[in-house]
Amino acid sequence: MNTTTAIAGTGLTIHPDEGTSEHLNNDHLKKTNVLGLVLAGGLSTRMGQDKSLLCLRSTNQSLVDHAQNVLSSVCNEQVIVSGKGAEQLHDVYPDCGPLAGIHAGLAYALNQRSVAGELDPAEQISAMLVTPVDMPNLTARTLMLLIEKAQNNNNLAHFTGFNLPLYVPLHKSILQYLASVLRNKKALSIYQLLKVNQGQAIPIPHTVSVDEFVNVNSPEQWHKLNACSTNT
């Protein structure tokens, strides 16, 4: 029996089982050589506390654990978290927003690929899939769709109308761009990253609800999210 949390009028619905690997084609999982990155280093100003540690009633998981689990099912369990925790990946350029987390993750991924040079190319990390910690409706199915579409062009890719989740190929030119804007503290937006580097906007399939891309930013949104649970 599954537990679904549905909040009328908010677009916030948690389907805890949809992010698990049993709902995906196992052949896809075996072929995926994408590193997952959860962005969890934000200041959580509107929430008033570290929202990554808030626990979802429907899954009994923190937002960061929930995000890791969903990513893990499409990234062959290769997931890192960008944040300020002891076991998290710290920003090289602190307090510069999500670009700093993406930069740190991309630098890590490129280094991992370098040290794994003796592996078969098919087994090496080829790209990074970035999700925010506060988008709990994202499903593994949707993330896999993004990966499959993005791999055709091997360029930055996102769904039309939403900058995250974001597919980032392991191009050194992207890392250099990120380092440049972070050093200068100018153009610190994912929008500019996509614009300058010709990011690909992938139309949202009719099978995917835009509710998956809703962020939970405020205490009001969070309380509504955990307000009711319905067994289905």
Side-chain angles (χ1 to χ4, degrees):
M1 182 176 293
N2 297 335
T3 301
T4 300
T5 301
I7 311 303
T10 66
L12 299 177
T13 304
I14 298 297
H15 303 284
D17 293 333
E18 289 190 0
T20 58
S21 59
E22 66 187 26
H23 291 268
L24 294 168
N25 185 307
N26 286 333
D27 290 337
H28 280 163
L29 293 177
K30 292 176 183 177
K31 295 176 183 177
T32 299
N33 56 349
V34 175
L35 175 71
L37 172 67
V38 179
L39 296 177
L43 298 177
S44 300
T45 304
R46 291 177 59 190
M47 189 66 72
Q49 59 180 304
D50 187 348
K51 59 186 170 184
S52 71
L53 302 179
L54 294 174
C55 189
L56 291 162
R57 180 183 297 176
S58 59
T59 62
N60 198 32
Q61 293 178 334
S62 67
L63 282 177
V64 68
D65 286 342
H66 176 82
Q68 282 183 274
N69 286 338
V70 175
L71 262 181
S72 180
S73 63
V74 299
C75 293
N76 207 18
E77 300 186 356
Q78 300 181 97
V79 179
I80 57 177
V81 178
S82 167
K84 299 177 181 178
E87 298 182 358
Q88 296 176 345
L89 185 66
H90 296 177
D91 294 345
V92 178
Y93 301 94
D95 303 321
C96 288
L99 284 194
I102 295 171
H103 168 268
L106 183 55
Y108 172 88
L110 283 166
N111 182 66
Q112 290 296 108
R113 188 171 69 176
S114 175
V115 299
E118 70 277 4
L119 293 178
D120 186 293
E123 299 178 4
Q124 296 180 18
I125 297 171
S126 64
M128 186 170 67
L129 184 62
V130 184
T131 65
V133 75
D134 60 358
M135 202 176 278
N137 288 339
L138 277 176
T139 64
R141 287 191 195 93
T142 297
L143 295 177
M144 183 61 80
L145 284 171
L146 179 59
I147 291 173
E148 291 175 341
K149 294 290 186 180
Q151 285 180 330
N152 292 332
N153 294 325
N154 193 30
N155 200 358
L156 288 162
H158 62 106
F159 287 113
T160 302
F162 301 93
N163 292 335
L164 293 171
L166 177 65
Y167 178 93
V168 184
L170 302 196
H171 294 168
K172 290 183 179 179
S173 60
I174 297 176
L175 183 68
Q176 291 166 353
Y177 167 84
L178 289 169
S180 175
V181 298
L182 287 164
R183 279 195 303 267
N184 296 322
K185 293 190 176 181
K186 294 181 179 179
L188 297 180
S189 71
I190 297 177
Y191 171 80
Q192 285 296 324
L193 166 68
L194 293 167
K195 182 179 179 180
V196 174
N197 294 276
Q198 292 79 50
Q200 175 189 11
I202 297 173
I204 299 174
H206 67 87
T207 55
V208 175
S209 170
V210 293
D211 290 348
E212 290 196 31
F213 308 104
V214 172
N215 296 99
V216 182
N217 291 312
S218 68
E220 292 76 20
Q221 289 177 317
W222 175 249
H223 292 321
K224 287 179 181 179
L225 179 70
N226 276 319
C228 64
S229 297
T230 303
N231 292 328
T232 59

